[in-house]
Amino acid sequence: MPTQANTSARRTLTAARVLAEVIMQGGASRSRLAGWLGVSKASISRAVEELIGNGWVEEGARFRVAQRGRSATSIIARAGLGYIIGADLEGSAARACIFDCQRNVIGSRRRAIDPSWAPQRIGAQIRALVDEVIADADVPSEKLIALGLALPGVATLDGREVRTTFAQGKLTRVGIHEMIGDFELPIVAADNTLCVSDYERRFGVAADVQSFASVLVRYGIGAAICSNGRFLSGEAVLCSELGHVRMQLDGEECICGQRGCLDTLASGRTWPSAEERHGERWEADLANRAHHLGVGIANLLKIVPLPVVVLNGIYNAYPDIVRPAVNSALNAALEPIGLQVPSLRFGDDLESKASISAGLRALDQCLGEYLERSSLARRSA
Ligand SMILES: [Zn+2]
């Protein structure tokens, strides 16, 4: 027989999981929550009642349930329940933003990064941005939940140390606090390709599909595969290096030491400077780069067939040239051998999506801890 204490602990746990899911998904009905969390609808209803009683969630709009002719009520988190900070790093800049539990961004900043890519110097720049968005937002410090960091090529070793490729493509081990300095909130680091892809899956252009390939081209070229609603790679492994798929065995030398990687043909690292990116010659060069990118993506899809490819990063500024070039490369590579040719989608153009996604991943890990330490949790105990 379960003791009363056990039952109460289990209910609190269910309530915390429901709350995390509601924030992560941006709202959900009771029956969808029951499906996602694998618990009974009665348990979900009890948890939602408790969360409403605590003032942590509220009932939102009613919406139609597809194909059933019924409607359901969406449960949404109270915006001011807490605030999440996210930051991300790309080829030439770092960004940080702070958002509430309904994903309203209440402050964001962006700054060009130190060209030396020294981890400590970049860490100090990210830290300065984070401090600035916190100051801009002017919310009570006890309402801050966690900081999520999206970094290139990151594998989280033990939560305190990460392996990242951000020093010009070279693999570096770096302690999070060594990079960011002393920080009063929990910090969770994640791979930036995974963060961008997860945003597309939850809220962006891939929200309507279960499986897709997601490609992010900035300084390097990363890829993630979502299969039946789940990403095949997690935080603990480095495996999104589409840029180092080799295209020409005797090609140009790559930063990885091999020759002819896709990176040497299509990455942001190899792009001409901004002043050179105009005119007919650039357009032909860009089409050629996009063609190579398409061939590289097709190589991936020859092993894992996926109906949709989502593209993000530097190529998205040139859809008129990039879309036909990538599409024709995919067609030429896949169609003759009878493989499915995917539809190409350009990613959502929200600038802070990697930061938001990194923040949500941090929230997912730290919400329980936050509720415990918040005065709200103490009041309900
Ligand atoms: Zn390489």
Side-chain angles (χ1 to χ4, degrees):
M1 286 284 284
T3 65
Q4 206 175 348
N6 274 345
T7 309
S8 141
R10 203 172 53 236
R11 283 186 185 175
T12 305
L13 193 65
T14 306
R17 286 174 63 207
V18 166
L19 183 56
E21 209 57 34
V22 161
I23 299 171
M24 302 279 291
Q25 303 290 347
S29 69
R30 290 172 177 81
S31 57
R32 288 198 74 178
L33 284 164
W36 283 329
L37 297 175
V39 294
S40 71
K41 227 186 134 188
S43 301
I44 294 293
S45 294
R46 214 162 31 227
V48 167
E49 217 169 283
E50 186 188 327
L51 292 169
I52 290 175
N54 287 342
W56 294 350
V57 301
E58 58 197 10
E59 296 200 303
R62 290 184 74 77
F63 61 91
R64 235 171 219 307
V65 181
Q67 294 149 352
R68 290 207 213 148
R70 292 194 285 117
S71 66
T73 305
S74 177
I75 307 300
I76 53 174
R78 287 243 188 219
L81 168 65
Y83 298 87
I84 306 130
I85 305 135
D88 77 282
L89 182 63
E90 49 130 310
S92 59
R95 300 187 201 85
C97 71
I98 180 165
F99 56 101
D100 65 23
C101 284
Q102 288 179 3
R103 255 180 26 255
N104 301 304
V105 174
I106 53 173
S108 67
R109 285 188 182 235
R110 177 184 197 277
R111 186 170 301 152
I113 50 162
D114 188 89
S116 75
W117 281 79
Q120 269 79 359
R121 215 171 297 169
I122 288 180
Q125 289 181 308
I126 293 175
R127 174 59 188 270
L129 282 172
V130 165
D131 288 343
E132 286 165 21
V133 294
I134 291 175
D136 289 349
D138 195 25
V139 295
S141 61
E142 68 272 15
K143 286 260 180 174
L144 299 173
I145 300 174
L147 167 62
L149 289 179
L151 302 173
V154 153
T156 307
L157 295 179
D158 59 1
R160 289 190 302 273
E161 197 182 43
V162 295
R163 235 159 28 121
T164 170
T165 52
F166 68 41
Q168 300 278 9
K170 285 187 199 69
L171 202 58
T172 319
R173 276 174 87 128
V174 58
I176 288 282
H177 285 278
E178 204 181 305
M179 231 182 105
I180 299 296
D182 288 333
F183 196 64
E184 57 281 12
L185 297 175
I187 305 174
V188 176
D191 175 75
N192 61 1
T193 303
L194 212 49
C195 286
V196 165
S197 309
D198 201 22
Y199 186 93
E200 299 295 2
R201 177 179 71 92
R202 290 178 187 282
F203 316 110
V205 301
D208 62 328
V209 290
Q210 285 292 303
S211 303
F212 64 100
S214 168
V215 177
L216 174 64
V217 189
R218 284 174 174 169
Y219 183 83
I221 304 172
I225 292 171
C226 182
S227 175
N228 294 318
R230 284 175 192 281
F231 285 99
L232 296 187
S233 52
E235 315 295 5
V237 280
L238 266 179
C239 59
S240 65
E241 300 292 342
L242 181 64
H244 299 290
V245 165
R246 294 178 72 191
M247 309 274 286
Q248 305 164 335
L249 296 187
D250 55 354
E252 220 176 285
E253 193 174 338
C254 180
I255 47 171
C256 72
Q258 299 284 307
R259 288 192 171 275
C261 294
L262 176 60
D263 187 281
T264 65
L265 300 161
S267 71
R269 180 179 70 82
T270 65
W271 269 33
S273 67
E275 305 86 72
E276 294 168 285
R277 293 201 298 265
H278 62 83
E280 266 174 41
R281 190 185 294 181
W282 159 243
E283 288 183 3
D285 181 25
L286 177 64
N288 189 42
R289 289 167 184 275
H291 171 80
H292 283 112
L293 183 63
V295 173
I297 296 170
N299 286 346
L300 178 70
L301 299 179
K302 285 173 183 170
I303 310 299
V304 191
L306 295 159
V308 169
V309 170
V310 175
L311 182 64
N312 273 295
I314 53 176
Y315 284 84
N316 291 32
Y318 307 93
D320 295 346
I321 294 169
V322 171
R323 187 182 291 280
V326 172
N327 271 331
S328 88
L330 289 170
N331 255 296
L334 299 172
E335 207 253 349
I337 49 174
L339 297 180
Q340 180 182 19
V341 179
S343 78
L344 177 66
R345 297 182 183 180
F346 280 52
D348 190 294
D349 56 12
L350 180 71
E351 207 206 337
S352 48
K353 65 187 173 188
S355 289
I356 290 178
S357 193
L360 288 175
R361 292 173 96 81
L363 168 102
D364 192 33
Q365 290 188 30
C366 305
L367 185 65
E369 195 187 308
Y370 170 71
L371 295 178
E372 251 170 55
R373 71 170 189 262
S374 75
S375 56
L376 295 167
R378 276 198 296 278
R379 206 181 305 149
S380 80

